[in-house]
Structures are given as C-alpha cells and as structure tokens.
Amino acid sequence: MRVLGVDPGLTRCGVGVVEGVAGRPLTMLGVGVVRTPVDAELGQRLVAVEQGIEAWLDEHRPEFVAVERVFSQHNVRTVMGTAQASAVAMLCAARRGIPVALHTPSEVKAAVTGSGRADKAQVGAMVTRLLRLDAPPKPADAADALALAICHIWRAPAQNRLQQAVALHAAKAPITSKGRTA
Amino acid sequence: MRVLGVDPGLTRCGVGVVEGVAGRPLTMLGVGVVRTPVDAELGQRLVAVEQGIEAWLDEHRPEFVAVERVFSQHNVRTVMGTAQASAVAMLCAARRGIPVALHTPSEVKAAVTGSGRADKAQVGAMVTRLLRLDAPPKPADAADALALAICHIWRAPAQNRLQQAVALHAAKAPITSKGRTA
C-alpha cells in the first residue's frame, strides 16, 4: 500500500510518501515541503499548493492520500489557511479517484508513538526509527506528513479497500450541479 | 466590467454574474447555485464545486471573481465547509489569471443596502431592484452572490485595474515549489 501523507498549510505544506503494510517494515519513498510565499495573493498561493501536490501525485502515484483533519478551535488566521490548503489537497486526490482519509493529530501521534499527547520531537524520533532514516526529517511538517502516511497504513486496512472502491466509483460517476442562466 | 460573485458553501454555493460599471444601471447575466450532496465524500464534494465553478467561468468569462470572506467565529462545522468551498472558487479563478477579491458580509450589505446590518430580505429586495428583476433570486445564497458582484463593481474601480494587472502577471510566472525525493 502506497500512501501520500499531507500536513496541510499555506506557508509550508508537508508531504511524505510511505509504502508498506501493517506488521511489516515500512519504506519512505519521498518527503518534502510545498512552500508558498507569505506575500503572494491567496489565490496564487492555492494554485502553487495545487501544482506542488499534483507533482507529488504524478511522481509517486499513491493509492491513498491521508490528510490531517483541521479543527477550528486554534488560531483563526492559521486555521483558515490550513483548511484552504487541505481543501486543495483533497480536491487533487479526489479528481484522480484516489481515496482521501482524514486523521486527527492525536490519532496520528497515538499511532506512531503510542500517546495522543506526544510532542513534535517524539513524533520525529519515531518516524525516523520506523522508516529507518539517518535523521528526523526537517521541518516538522515533513515529519508530520510521514507520520500521517504511517498512521493510515496501520489503521483499518479493511476500511481502506472499501474507501478505494467507493472513490473509484465516485470518480467514474461525477456529481453534477445545476444553474440557471439569464 | 463583468464579475462573478461567489457565496461559498459545500451544500449550496451561490453564483451570480453581473455586468456594469459604477454609476450606471447594472445587468444580471446569470444566477444559480452549485449544489453537492451532503452524504457524498468531502473530496467528491470539492470536485463537484470545482466542476460547477469551472462551468460558470467557461460560460461567462468574468474579468473578476468576488468571493465572500470567511470568518471562523461562527459555527465550526459550517465554517470549515465554507472555507474549503471558497478555496476551490479562488483556486479556479487564480488558475485562469482572474483576479480574486474578498468582501466581508457587512461590506456587501453596506454596499447594496446602505447598512452593514441589513437582513437577508433587505439584501434580496435591493438586488432585485438594482438588477431590475421580477422577483428576488432564490435561494438566499444566489441573491448573496449577486450582491457580492454588485459590491465589487461599486468598490474601488482603480484598485480593480491594479489587481487585474497583478493577477495576469502572477498567472504568467507561476510560483514554484520544491521537494526532496528519496
């Protein structure tokens, strides 16, 4: 199973590709960050995120995309950017018929460290160990993206097969929408 | 000046196209709602919003897209959907080099009714009068989209010319992003 994990953000959007199955050693296929300039127009930043995600999908052809679930109780400004970047990531995946899974930060932390309250350093250390890397991926967004992918591989393999079937079906029969023109 | 107004939402995304200049009678070119089913996967809903917005851009070729600015102090669930739908609308416009403007709900109400605290009925009544329609557009999301377009036409024509130049420049020289692959 090949999963692209996405830690959404407008300034830094972490991306990481992991291959493997639950119970076997995992392999990292790629890790990076899609960056957009803080001073660019919002629309242009979203286009840049789209181009970045598309490039990762083209290169690695993941079967699943795992995106961090965004909550709105945090900082208002940050949350809006995160929600917008995550929308672009979900859109890119759904357009290709790739099933999208959302995992909360505490689900991800619990999956890779055993504790939903683990800190960044602990997540980075476990990602390094689980993927047999020389050093923790930097910045933290990149490590978080890999942790999301690992979390997805380890959670509910049966559910993944169902999601994949549903997403393929939905991609073949797109939802239509109507409008009225004067 | 031709403007597509977008009142973003996942369940109902209002869209309306208005043509005209400040100080002259305005013309409605189209109004409608892009709908997506509540029970569909989030990714599929975003794809449906994208297809809907793209169809409106193809048909009406607006010079500007005006989107309602989303705030996060409201209902958490609704705000996330609204932020995601608005991201898709901004992405579609920016990809084509169409400048995107964000207007707050109170700016829009103040522009069309004279009061930033006007209710839905008052906005609907003024949109009907300003565009010389037979009846207020239904649902309210459709009327709000037209109000957004009117608001944009009436606010800062000089600023619009600047925005247009910047957006065209940005579309010609897209932002690049980097990543590392194992």
Side-chain angles (χ1 to χ4, degrees):
Chain A
M1 180 192 303
R2 184 177 293 189
V3 180
L4 171 68
V6 179
D7 183 28
L10 274 182
T11 306
R12 286 187 310 276
C13 184
V15 279
V17 185
V18 178
E19 191 161 60
V21 291
R24 298 258 193 98
L26 303 169
T27 308
M28 181 185 87
L29 299 181
V31 66
V33 177
V34 175
R35 295 174 196 272
T36 78
V38 177
D39 56 352
E41 293 268 334
L42 180 52
Q44 287 305 319
R45 299 184 78 181
L46 295 171
V47 171
V49 171
E50 180 185 45
Q51 289 170 345
I53 299 287
E54 286 289 338
W56 279 82
L57 293 174
D58 279 343
E59 185 172 349
H60 292 284
R61 309 265 159 205
E63 294 146 274
F64 295 93
V65 173
V67 182
E68 188 175 295
R69 190 184 290 278
V70 184
F71 289 106
S72 118
Q73 51 262 43
H74 306 299
N75 180 293
V76 173
R77 259 183 164 272
T78 316
V79 159
M80 283 296 139
T82 309
Q84 287 158 342
S86 78
V88 173
M90 287 187 276
L91 176 70
C92 291
R95 254 188 331 222
R96 295 179 184 226
I98 303 172
V100 179
L102 300 173
H103 300 288
T104 66
S106 53
E107 281 169 352
V108 175
K109 288 173 188 171
V112 301
T113 74
S115 163
R117 296 171 161 217
D119 63 14
K120 293 268 176 206
Q122 215 178 329
V123 171
M126 282 308 294
V127 164
T128 309
R129 187 173 309 170
L130 293 167
L131 298 175
R132 287 153 292 135
L133 308 176
D134 297 330
K138 293 270 171 71
D141 314 76
D144 286 347
L146 291 171
L148 266 155
I150 295 169
C151 170
H152 188 73
I153 290 170
W154 285 355
R155 284 171 65 99
Q159 196 198 340
N160 284 342
R161 283 194 293 275
L162 179 64
Q163 275 191 338
Q164 212 167 17
V166 169
L168 265 173
H169 177 77
K172 279 178 196 157
I175 298 161
T176 55
S177 54
K178 282 178 211 163
R180 176 165 68 86
T181 291
Chain B
M1 181 192 301
R2 185 177 293 188
V3 180
L4 170 68
V6 179
D7 183 28
L10 273 183
T11 306
R12 287 185 310 277
C13 184
V15 279
V17 185
V18 178
E19 190 162 60
V21 291
R24 299 259 193 94
L26 303 169
T27 308
M28 181 185 87
L29 298 181
V31 65
V33 178
V34 175
R35 294 175 196 274
T36 78
V38 178
D39 57 350
E41 292 268 334
L42 181 51
Q44 287 305 318
R45 298 183 79 181
L46 295 171
V47 171
V49 171
E50 180 185 46
Q51 289 170 344
I53 298 288
E54 286 288 338
W56 280 82
L57 293 174
D58 279 342
E59 185 172 349
H60 293 285
R61 307 265 159 204
E63 294 145 273
F64 295 94
V65 172
V67 181
E68 188 175 293
R69 190 184 289 278
V70 183
F71 289 106
S72 117
Q73 51 262 44
H74 307 299
N75 181 294
V76 173
R77 260 185 163 273
T78 315
V79 159
M80 283 294 138
T82 309
Q84 287 158 342
S86 78
V88 172
M90 287 187 274
L91 177 69
C92 292
R95 253 187 332 220
R96 294 178 184 227
I98 304 173
V100 179
L102 300 173
H103 301 288
T104 66
S106 53
E107 280 169 352
V108 174
K109 288 173 189 170
V112 302
T113 75
S115 163
R117 294 172 163 218
D119 62 14
K120 291 266 176 207
Q122 214 179 329
V123 171
M126 281 308 295
V127 164
T128 309
R129 186 174 309 169
L130 293 167
L131 299 175
R132 289 153 290 137
L133 307 177
D134 297 330
K138 293 270 171 66
D141 314 76
D144 285 347
L146 292 170
L148 266 156
I150 296 170
C151 170
H152 188 74
I153 290 170
W154 285 354
R155 284 170 66 100
Q159 195 199 340
N160 285 341
R161 282 194 293 275
L162 179 65
Q163 275 192 339
Q164 211 166 17
V166 169
L168 265 174
H169 177 77
K172 279 175 194 158
I175 298 162
T176 54
S177 55
K178 284 178 207 159
R180 176 167 69 86
T181 290

